[in-house]
Amino acid sequence: QVQLVESGGGLVQAGGSLRLSCAASGSIFRINDMGWYRQAPGKERELVAAITSAGSTNYADSVKGRFTLSRDNAKNTAYLQMNSLKPEDTAVYYCNAAVLTSALRYLEVWGQGTLVTASS
C-alpha cells in the first residue's frame, strides 16, 4: 500500500506564491517519476510539471518561469513552488507518482488533491 499526501494549497491573491508538498509513504522500494496535475472546474485534468528520479523536469508552457518542481528522494517528497500566481491557475492540484513497491510491483498512485485559488 502506497499513499500520497498533499499539502500547501489555499487562497492567495493574484501575484502571490504558494508551495505544495507531496509526501509518499508505504511499502516503497523506489519512486520513479513524480508529477503535479491540475483540474479546473469544467476542464480536463492537465499536467503541470513532472520530475524524474534524477531531477530532470518538464513544465507546461503556461507555468514555465513561474513554477518550480523539486524533490527530496530521501524523504520521498516532491515540492511545487508556485510564484506569480494567476487566476487561471485556480484548480485542484493532484500529485502523481510512479512507484516500485517493496514487492517489486509498479503502481501509479494519485493523491487526494489540494485546492489552489488565486483571486484577482
Side-chain angles (χ1 to χ4, degrees):
Q1 186 83 0
V2 177
Q3 292 181 326
L4 300 180
V5 177
E6 300 133 333
S7 61
L11 173 65
V12 65
Q13 286 190 333
S17 299
L18 285 173
R19 188 192 195 208
L20 304 184
S21 297
C22 171
S25 63
S27 301
I28 298 169
F29 181 77
R30 184 180 68 237
I31 301 176
N32 293 331
D33 293 356
M34 299 184 77
W36 285 93
Y37 291 72
R38 67 187 181 187
Q39 187 166 19
K43 296 188 176 181
E44 293 187 353
R45 191 173 296 190
E46 63 175 358
L47 176 67
V48 176
I51 186 168
T52 69
S53 57
S56 296
T57 54
N58 67 282
Y59 298 92
D61 288 342
S62 59
V63 306
K64 282 181 181 177
R66 299 187 297 122
F67 290 12
T68 302
L69 179 58
S70 61
R71 64 190 284 175
D72 184 335
N73 290 332
K75 295 182 178 180
N76 288 333
T77 300
Y79 307 95
L80 183 67
Q81 178 66 43
M82 304 185 294
N83 298 328
S84 302
L85 282 160
K86 304 176 181 179
E88 50 264 43
D89 294 318
T90 295
V92 178
Y93 284 69
Y94 297 92
C95 182
N96 173 273
V99 177
L100 180 62
T101 69
S102 300
L104 301 183
R105 292 179 58 203
Y106 280 102
L107 294 177
E108 183 181 22
V109 187
W110 289 90
Q112 79 284 357
T114 185
L115 177 63
V116 171
T117 304
S119 63
S120 57

